[in-house]
Amino acid sequence: MIRTHTCGELRAGDVGSEVVVCGWVDSVRDHGGVLFVDVRDHTGVTQTVAHPDEQPEGFAAAEAVRGEWVVAVRGRVRMRPEGTQNPDLPTGAVEVPIDAVEVLSVAEPLPIPLDERTETDEILRLRHRPLDLRKERLQRNLRTRARVSAAVRAALEAEGFVEVETPTLIRSTPEGARDYLVPSRQTPGSVYALPQSPQLFKQLLMVGGIDRYYQIARCWRDEDLRADRQPEFTQLDLEASFAEPEDVYAWIEAAMRAAFEAAGRSGELPETIPRLTWHDAMDLYGSDKPDLRAGPPIVDLAGVFAGTAFKAFAATLDAGGTVRGWRFRGGGDLTRNRLDGLIERAQHLGAKGLVWMVVEADASLRAPVAKFLSDAELAGIGAALDAEPGDLLLLAADTAQTASAVLGQLRLDLDRPAGHAPVEAGGAGVSPLWVVDFPLFEDDGAGGLTPLHHPFTSPHRDDVHLLDTDPAAVRSHAYDFVINGVEMGSGSVRIHDAAVQARMFEILGMEEAEVRSRFGFLLDAFRHGVPPHAGFAVGWDRLLMILCDERSIREVIAFPKTQTGADPLTGAPAAVGDDVLADVGLQMTPEARAVAAAEAGTEAGDSGA
RNA sequence: GGUCCUGUAGAACAGUCUGGAGUGUUCGCCGCCCUGUCAAGGCGGAGGUCGCGGGUUCAAAUCCCGUCAGGACCGCCA
């Protein structure tokens, strides 16, 4: 053992002990006659000190060390002199006189600062990720992540869930997102795909009698990235036989509580997690992942404007549309410029227009359109939106869907709390909910239907009869868990009835040959005794992002990628030689070759590196 | 595929709107001084292809066009 103690553990009780502490030189404070070297590791900082007359050898050696050198310091722990103890440091009562210091490794000046006050450009942080990882923020996040994973594993094991690994070189099933492809050397011309999720395999595990499966699984989707989307990401995936939605809700809620507790945020989830139907979520918040923290729900005002003389509203209502409104508490002091900006924003979002009203001190409504509205209508608006003086009211007349979508987005623009910090830390806390009863299908934009979730999602038991008459109206047994407007995970009851599954494929317009080719192995397995089963998958990076109060999942991933899917640390993705390609039966097109050459030229000439 | 923001010394920025010598601030780095600091302090110093290319101009970090990189968002993400 090179060290006897970590840098964060020495206390007054250790005085007199001969110790060796190891770590990085956090700071050197040279007073000429007395020299302090703070040694840091992931547990904290210990002050070591040398006087030229008391520790002549240690002083001489310590004078040479610089920031971020890796050192081992040996000495006998002593109390700091009266009046020089540092109550802000856990180790601040003691210090280690430098009897000897061994330089384990020197360090050049760092390309990025490690102090927590400077917000370094993210490309530099990623390029120098090993250094960035030394900082407390990522140390804290990654350790939280490990604790949360362990706690959730324990919680699921306690419920009888069994961790099973599934393959990551799989058959491409061209549904949903684009697959990442891995060419095969042994079968040139054929490719594996990296799984977008373990979906099919976990269903096969149910056929295999595993009964309750879970896995913290890596998934890959070749789509454009966002703050909460990486090309490779992690899911807590689970599936259970003989289970209903209520069972899944209970397991996931238990896992979430375990996760919050492990992150030091127990008690922040409400006793009862609210549930909203998908339909209500779309009406009330214009979103299937509402952030319940951002102001009140949207209110339908069709009743207020029945028979209105205001032509713009009347025309919309006559055409089968509606008028909806949202109240922004205290928004009445927005400048005219801001208000005009809101109208522009609404139009950009697809609204024909936007009506704003400011609630005056006497509760009257000040608005450009007020003169077109009756007193009863104005009073009705104020009552329906629970308006108070100083509020801003926003009204949109459109189809129900568009009106809610536009007001829902403005609601987020204007009133969504930033971040996910606990209430006691001054944040807006967390507000989870279940969104249930998603539609089974959505319009594919070409006159057909496409699964909203995936083609193995069970129709709602009350809507099966609609499959033949009105499939677009069929609800599913699919459900999402949402926290703070972030889709935290989704799941469903799966189809285990061969006839229903066949009908699904039929409605989706999939030929039998195509079905057999893509999913034959699953359907075959289902022919030999498949239990009813249901499952769920939690976006693990997103959950950790919220638990760690981060704005991007990159802050809870050790080695994340940029928005273009690149890793600035290793330079991935990178070209490979023609011989390597030939090995797997591939050849670069002239176009690809030109791009690769341009890239190489850019790297050499552009000082961006 | 699209919209928007950003790019100036090792780092964080100001300077760009309204063109006039690479001007400046903080941190870091190097040297000297300093015996109780803990974001130590004082003095001095080094360090720049203003992302890259082109254009306008007597003159471009600054204006225009293109491009690259990073970020936010829309599309996309069963």
Side-chain angles (χ1 to χ4, degrees):
Chain A
M1 202 64 174
I2 296 175
R3 67 183 170 200
T4 63
H5 293 74
T6 61
C7 295
E9 65 179 317
L10 292 177
R11 297 289 186 275
D14 296 300
V15 167
S17 303
E18 177 86 10
V19 303
V20 178
V21 292
C22 294
W24 288 263
V25 173
D26 199 57
S27 79
V28 178
R29 295 181 295 282
D30 185 351
H31 290 243
V34 60
L35 175 67
F36 299 98
V37 177
D38 285 350
V39 184
R40 181 198 73 238
D41 65 15
H42 72 276
T43 63
V45 172
T46 292
Q47 174 169 291
T48 70
V49 58
H51 288 77
D53 41 352
E54 294 170 29
Q55 294 85 24
E57 285 175 37
F59 184 86
E63 263 193 320
V65 307
R66 293 292 180 268
E68 298 305 311
W69 287 24
V70 182
V71 297
V73 174
R74 183 169 52 77
R76 191 175 297 276
V77 181
R78 71 183 183 199
M79 293 300 290
R80 297 190 188 184
E82 198 64 37
T84 67
Q85 301 186 354
N86 186 345
D88 298 330
L89 277 180
T91 61
V94 299
E95 62 188 4
V96 177
I98 304 176
D99 289 334
V101 55
E102 184 185 354
V103 174
L104 301 173
S105 149
V106 300
E108 295 171 16
L110 300 193
I112 59 171
L114 296 194
D115 75 79
E116 304 285 336
R117 299 179 299 278
T118 309
E119 282 253 340
T120 308
D121 190 61
E122 199 171 352
I123 185 70
L124 289 175
R125 293 180 55 207
L126 293 181
R127 192 170 293 145
H128 304 289
R129 195 63 161 180
L131 294 179
D132 204 36
L133 289 171
R134 283 187 203 162
K135 288 161 44 172
E136 199 204 333
R137 178 188 194 174
L138 289 182
Q139 286 279 326
R140 188 175 57 234
N141 290 354
L142 292 180
R143 288 168 198 282
T144 295
R145 184 171 181 135
R147 277 201 314 278
V148 168
S149 295
V152 169
R153 277 198 169 96
L156 290 175
E157 300 274 348
E159 294 284 350
F161 282 84
V162 178
E163 184 165 18
V164 181
E165 294 169 82
T166 53
T168 56
L169 291 176
I170 68 169
R171 188 200 164 97
S172 176
T173 55
E175 286 283 329
R178 272 184 291 271
D179 284 327
Y180 276 98
L181 299 178
V182 180
S184 161
R185 175 185 57 84
Q186 287 166 312
T187 317
S190 291
V191 295
Y192 301 98
L194 301 179
Q196 298 176 24
S197 79
Q199 180 63 35
L200 297 174
F201 288 98
K202 67 176 175 178
Q203 293 192 247
L204 295 174
L205 290 173
M206 296 301 100
V207 177
I210 293 296
D211 199 79
R212 291 180 185 178
Y213 141 93
Y214 82 99
Q215 181 185 190
I216 295 181
R218 187 62 55 86
C219 307
W220 292 264
R221 291 176 193 177
D222 187 5
E223 296 294 344
D224 290 343
L225 306 177
R226 293 282 192 283
D228 61 355
R229 282 167 20 192
Q230 283 271 299
E232 53 180 320
F233 61 99
T234 304
Q235 286 187 343
L236 169 69
D237 192 44
L238 62 81
E239 193 77 15
S241 297
F242 313 109
E244 299 196 296
E246 291 299 336
D247 299 313
V248 176
Y249 300 158
W251 288 321
I252 293 300
E253 288 184 14
M256 290 291 172
R257 289 184 200 286
F260 271 74
E261 187 180 354
R265 302 185 62 164
S266 47
E268 285 194 56
L269 292 176
E271 199 67 31
T272 304
I273 309 287
R275 294 180 193 175
L276 265 185
T277 65
W278 178 86
H279 197 269
D280 285 347
M282 297 304 285
D283 274 343
L284 298 174
Y285 300 100
S287 167
D288 61 1
K289 47 177 181 176
D291 189 335
L292 299 184
R293 304 172 304 168
I298 294 158
V299 176
D300 195 281
L301 301 173
V304 173
F305 293 106
T308 184
F310 182 40
K311 283 178 185 156
F313 285 5
T316 301
L317 290 166
D318 287 346
T322 188
V323 180
R324 288 187 172 172
W326 180 69
R327 183 204 72 211
F328 181 26
R329 179 119 297 162
D333 55 1
L334 261 60
T335 61
R336 185 59 190 255
N337 212 22
R338 277 298 297 285
L339 293 171
D340 288 342
L342 291 181
I343 293 172
E344 206 172 303
R345 172 82 169 137
Q347 287 167 341
H348 187 74
L349 291 166
K352 288 192 282 287
L354 182 75
V355 169
W356 58 260
M357 302 179 166
V358 171
V359 186
E360 302 279 34
D362 63 358
S364 68
L365 298 180
R366 170 170 61 86
V369 304
K371 56 181 175 290
F372 302 117
L373 301 176
S374 71
D375 289 346
E377 284 167 346
L378 291 171
I381 296 167
L385 295 181
D386 188 27
E388 289 180 6
D391 288 349
L392 175 69
L393 310 181
L394 299 177
L395 277 63
D398 219 304
T399 63
Q401 190 189 352
T402 300
S404 278
V406 169
L407 291 174
Q409 187 57 53
L410 293 175
R411 172 177 174 272
L412 294 178
D413 290 350
L414 290 168
D415 205 26
R416 186 180 189 186
H420 314 282
V423 173
E424 57 264 32
V430 290
S431 190
L433 78 152
W434 288 99
V435 178
V436 303
D437 295 350
F438 274 67
L440 190 58
F441 303 106
E442 63 181 339
D443 198 318
D444 69 357
L449 294 173
T450 183
L452 194 69
H453 192 52
H454 58 57
F456 314 106
T457 303
S458 173
H460 196 287
R461 63 167 67 83
D462 300 336
D463 291 357
V464 175
H465 64 281
L466 293 172
L467 272 179
D468 294 317
T469 53
D470 188 8
V474 175
R475 291 169 299 164
S476 70
H477 281 303
Y479 32 80
D480 275 11
F481 192 75
V482 176
I483 300 180
N484 293 356
V486 178
E487 183 191 323
M488 200 52 56
S490 63
S492 64
V493 175
R494 328 299 185 185
I495 299 169
H496 71 284
D497 180 305
V500 174
Q501 186 67 65
R503 183 74 189 110
M504 274 293 285
F505 286 134
E506 204 179 315
I507 292 168
L508 294 171
M510 293 171 67
E511 302 291 336
E512 191 170 339
E514 184 189 2
V515 170
R516 280 233 53 89
S517 152
R518 285 188 192 179
F519 306 117
F521 62 93
L522 181 76
L523 302 179
D524 286 347
F526 276 20
R527 280 214 295 265
H528 304 122
V530 52
H533 55 290
F536 202 78
V538 179
W540 210 233
D541 312 288
R542 290 179 179 177
L543 176 63
L544 266 300
M545 173 181 81
I546 284 177
L547 291 174
C548 295
D549 183 28
E550 292 287 1
R551 312 296 172 87
S552 159
I553 63 173
R554 293 187 298 273
E555 301 297 344
V556 297
I557 295 172
F559 299 101
K561 293 183 173 58
T562 66
Q563 204 166 68
T564 53
D567 175 8
L569 177 66
T570 63
V576 295
D578 288 341
D579 51 337
V580 178
L581 290 177
D583 223 18
V584 292
L586 294 180
Q587 211 175 18
M588 234 195 285
T589 62
E591 292 79 12
R593 203 177 290 281
V595 170
E599 289 282 320
T602 303
E603 273 167 40
D606 187 347
S607 67

